[in-house]
Amino acid sequence: MKTTNEINGLRLYGIKACDTMKKARTWLDQQGLSYDFHDYKSAGIDRAHLEAWCDEHGWQTVLNRAGTTFRKLDDAQKADLDQAKAIELMLAQPSMIKRPVLDLGDRTLIGFKPDVYAAELATKN
């Protein structure tokens, strides 16, 4: 017998201590949705996931340029960014990945907006 999570197929990627992550987890819990949580700061993330997310959403969406980790980079590291360079930065420092990333099985959502989550998850059921 499949578990609820296997049926829902939800996996949430992010960093445990992030405020936006806490909002997303609280929202999912309030909806009674189960999900696997992958903390990419402690468990890391592989190139295949980053490439898939960048292919789906564009590296400009996946790379969190507003965060402290990115802003602390020197100008040379920030210069001439493209998908390959952005993926290398995110592999080296997963804190630079925009969060959360909610994997719905057939697509992903980047960032947390309750109305978008509600609409996307309504079509999933």
Side-chain angles (χ1 to χ4, degrees):
M1 183 162 175
K2 289 190 172 196
T3 65
T4 305
N5 192 51
E6 287 172 321
I7 294 166
N8 288 340
L10 300 178
R11 176 166 267 198
L12 190 67
Y13 293 85
I15 295 172
K16 193 174 198 169
C18 169
D19 287 341
T20 305
M21 288 297 309
K22 290 175 186 173
K23 290 175 189 171
R25 293 176 80 177
T26 298
W27 188 91
L28 289 166
D29 292 342
Q30 288 173 343
Q31 308 313 307
L33 296 168
S34 63
Y35 55 91
D36 289 326
F37 175 63
H38 179 96
D39 187 333
Y40 48 63
K41 186 157 188 168
S42 62
I45 193 70
D46 60 31
R47 182 180 303 276
H49 277 90
L50 289 172
E51 287 175 351
W53 297 342
C54 288
D55 289 346
E56 182 179 357
H57 299 282
W59 67 266
Q60 299 92 335
T61 299
V62 181
L63 179 65
N64 181 11
R65 289 178 282 187
T68 314
T69 307
F70 182 82
R71 289 195 317 260
K72 285 182 182 176
L73 294 175
D74 61 45
D75 290 340
Q77 290 174 295
K78 294 179 196 176
D80 302 320
L81 279 177
D82 60 13
Q83 181 164 315
K85 192 171 178 184
I87 287 173
E88 292 304 322
L89 288 172
M90 291 183 281
L91 283 170
Q93 297 189 60
S95 300
M96 282 193 245
I97 304 168
K98 184 158 173 117
R99 49 197 180 263
V101 176
L102 181 61
D103 187 337
L104 303 173
D106 58 346
R107 65 193 181 286
T108 57
L109 304 176
I110 307 270
F112 174 64
K113 293 187 175 148
D115 54 336
V116 172
Y117 269 40
E120 291 293 328
L121 289 165
T123 65
K124 187 160 176 54
N125 294 331

